Amino acid sequence: MTTDVTIIGAGLGGLTLARVLHLHGIPATVYEAEVSPMARAQGGMLDIHEDSGQPALRAAGLMNEFRGLILEGRQAIRVLDLAGTVLLDAADDGTGGNPEVLRGELRQMLLDSLPAGTVRWGHKASGTRALGAGRHEVTFADGTTVTTGLLVGADGAWSRVRPLLSPATPEYIGMSYVETSLFDADTRHPDSAKAVGSGSLFTLAPGKGFLAHRERAGTLHAYVMLARPRDWFANIDFTDSAAATARITREFDGWAPELTALIADGDTAPVLRPLYALPIEHRWEREPGVTLLGDAAHLSLPNGEGANLAMYDGAELGEALAAHPEDIEAALTAYEQAMFPRSAAAAAEGVQVHEMFYGAGAPHSLITMMAGHEQTP
C-alpha cells in the first residue's frame, strides 16, 4: 500500500488502527491534540467485551499484554437501593467474559506497541478540506497543515473530520454526569468502600443515580448521574468545587450517607461531563479518501460499548486496508458497510440501557436484566 494514512486522534480507536496497520507493514501517522500521553487523566475502568474489544486486541497482536492489565475481581456487581440496602450482589467468579482494565493503561499499551514517532503530539486539528482526487488537507491550531491520501477521523464527539462526510452534530441527551474520585477508600472512606464492594456499584432511581468502580490501590471512581437541562448545570460554578459539590449533593437528600459521600467527600474536584449522541442511524455517502471511526462516526448513549466499538472499528478498518492495499475505496466501502449496521444496533441498545438505568422502572429493570443474563446458558 502506497497511500499515506493520516489518523486524527490518539484515542483507543485511532491507536488500534495504527497498530493493526503497523502489523501489516502499512505506516500511518497519528495527530493528537494533547501535548503528551500524560497531559490529562484518561478516564476510569473499561470492561473489554469478548465480541468486540477483545477481537480488536487480538487483531492488534496484544492479547498477552492486555491480560497483564486485567484487574481481577472487578467484574463483581452490586446494586443498592437509596437507603443502602443490597438488592443484588454478584461476585466475580472468574467466568465472566468482559474483564476490567484501566483506560489509561490500555491506551499506554497501544502507544507502546507503535514505532517511535507514529504519534505527533500537540497537533489539534482546527479544520479540514477536500483537495480533490481523494486527497485532503488538515489544518492545525498552530497554523501548520498536512495533506494526505487517506484521512481517518478518530477524533471523537466533536470531530473536525466529520464535516467532510456528514452535517450531523451531537445533541445533548438530557443527562450529565459529575465525576469524582475517592483515594485510599478502604482506610479513608470505609463505608463507601464497603458499599462499592470489589467491582462496580449501581444505585439508580428514575432520572438520577450513582455509579462507581473500584480501581487500583483502593481508589473509587464515581459518576453521579442527573437528568437535568444544560442550563441547570450552567448555573453551577464548577470552578468553586465546594459549592458545586454541595449543590449536586442536595439532589440526593435522603439517600444513604455512604452513597452521597461518593460526591460529597470526593478527593478530586467534581468534573461535569454532559452526554451527547449522534442520530442512531448516522451514516454518510462514500467520499473518496476519508472515513470515520469510534465516537466520530457513531457517538451514542453510554452503554459500555463506546471504547469497545472504537477499537473494533480500528481493527476492522486496518484489516480492510491490508486486504485491499491497491484499492483504498474498496477497503473503505467494505469497512463502512459493516460498520453502519453494527453501530446503529449498538446505539439502539444504548437507548434501551439508558431507559433501564434511569427510566421509571429503575433500579428493578436493571436487576431483571441481570437475572436474565445469569439464566442464559
Side-chain angles (χ1 to χ4, degrees):
M1 180 172 163
T2 56
T3 302
D4 47 318
V5 181
T6 297
I7 303 166
I8 306 300
L12 298 178
L15 294 176
T16 301
L17 169 59
R19 168 63 180 180
V20 171
L21 291 176
H22 171 63
L23 289 183
H24 288 282
I26 302 172
T29 304
V30 183
Y31 291 91
E32 169 55 43
E34 295 172 8
V35 297
S36 74
M38 307 306 292
R40 66 174 179 87
Q42 294 298 313
M45 299 286 286
L46 294 174
D47 52 326
I48 305 303
H49 298 174
E50 56 189 345
D51 60 352
S52 52
Q54 291 181 51
L57 292 171
R58 197 168 290 114
L62 294 171
M63 281 301 288
N64 286 338
E65 291 83 349
F66 163 68
R67 292 188 185 99
L69 302 181
I70 292 172
L71 296 181
E72 301 295 340
R74 299 312 197 277
Q75 292 183 74
I77 293 176
R78 306 189 89 211
V79 180
L80 275 59
D81 69 10
L82 282 56
T85 303
V86 177
L87 303 177
L88 176 73
D89 194 351
D92 180 359
D93 61 4
T95 63
N98 301 325
E100 300 270 354
V101 300
L102 286 166
R103 179 189 288 268
E105 294 182 1
L106 187 64
R107 186 200 197 203
Q108 190 61 52
M109 178 195 76
L110 287 163
L111 287 169
D112 291 343
S113 75
L114 296 172
T118 298
V119 179
R120 309 287 176 85
W121 301 97
H123 283 73
K124 180 178 177 61
S126 58
T128 55
R129 67 185 181 104
L131 301 176
R135 294 192 66 78
H136 292 85
E137 179 186 80
V138 181
T139 301
F140 299 102
D142 63 1
T144 60
T145 62
V146 64
T147 60
T148 182
L150 174 55
L151 177 61
V152 181
D155 48 342
W158 307 105
S159 172
R160 295 292 187 172
V161 180
R162 189 192 302 122
L164 293 169
L165 294 167
S166 167
T169 56
E171 294 188 0
Y172 181 59
I173 68 167
M175 175 169 273
S176 297
Y177 68 81
V178 178
E179 181 181 1
T180 188
S181 294
L182 282 68
F183 301 133
D184 192 18
D186 294 305
T187 300
R188 300 179 60 244
H189 310 281
D191 292 340
S192 295
K194 182 179 178 181
V196 173
S198 60
S200 298
L201 163 73
F202 299 88
T203 300
L204 308 172
K208 62 175 65 175
F210 288 95
L211 283 66
H213 303 284
R214 179 178 288 270
E215 298 182 352
R216 293 193 189 277
T219 294
L220 303 181
H221 201 144
Y223 307 87
V224 183
M225 312 295 289
L226 278 172
R228 298 288 187 274
R230 285 299 314 272
D231 289 347
W232 188 90
F233 289 102
N235 289 324
I236 300 174
D237 182 6
F238 278 88
T239 64
D240 184 341
S241 295
T245 295
R247 181 65 189 90
I248 297 298
T249 303
R250 285 204 300 273
E251 296 300 303
F252 297 88
D253 283 348
W255 291 44
E258 63 269 27
L259 300 174
T260 57
L262 291 169
I263 177 70
D265 296 345
D267 293 314
T268 56
V271 179
L272 176 64
R273 306 287 191 192
L275 298 178
Y276 292 84
L278 287 165
I280 288 177
E281 296 288 343
H282 182 237
R283 58 181 60 205
W284 53 87
E285 298 298 324
R286 173 93 295 281
E287 291 287 341
V290 59
T291 193
L292 306 171
L293 63 78
D295 283 350
H298 45 74
L299 179 69
S300 65
L301 275 69
N303 63 347
E305 289 286 355
N308 285 279
L309 283 182
M311 290 191 293
Y312 195 81
D313 287 351
E316 289 288 283
L317 178 54
E319 297 282 9
L321 290 168
H324 303 278
E326 302 302 325
D327 191 345
I328 299 303
E329 288 308 300
L332 298 184
T333 297
Y335 160 71
E336 290 176 354
Q337 287 180 346
M339 184 265 289
F340 288 144
R342 178 175 69 239
S343 60
E349 180 183 342
V351 174
Q352 296 173 353
V353 170
H354 184 81
E355 177 64 22
M356 185 187 310
F357 275 37
Y358 307 110
H364 299 288
S365 48
L366 172 62
I367 295 172
T368 299
M369 182 273 290
M370 294 186 63
H373 278 194
E374 289 176 357
Q375 294 169 9
T376 301

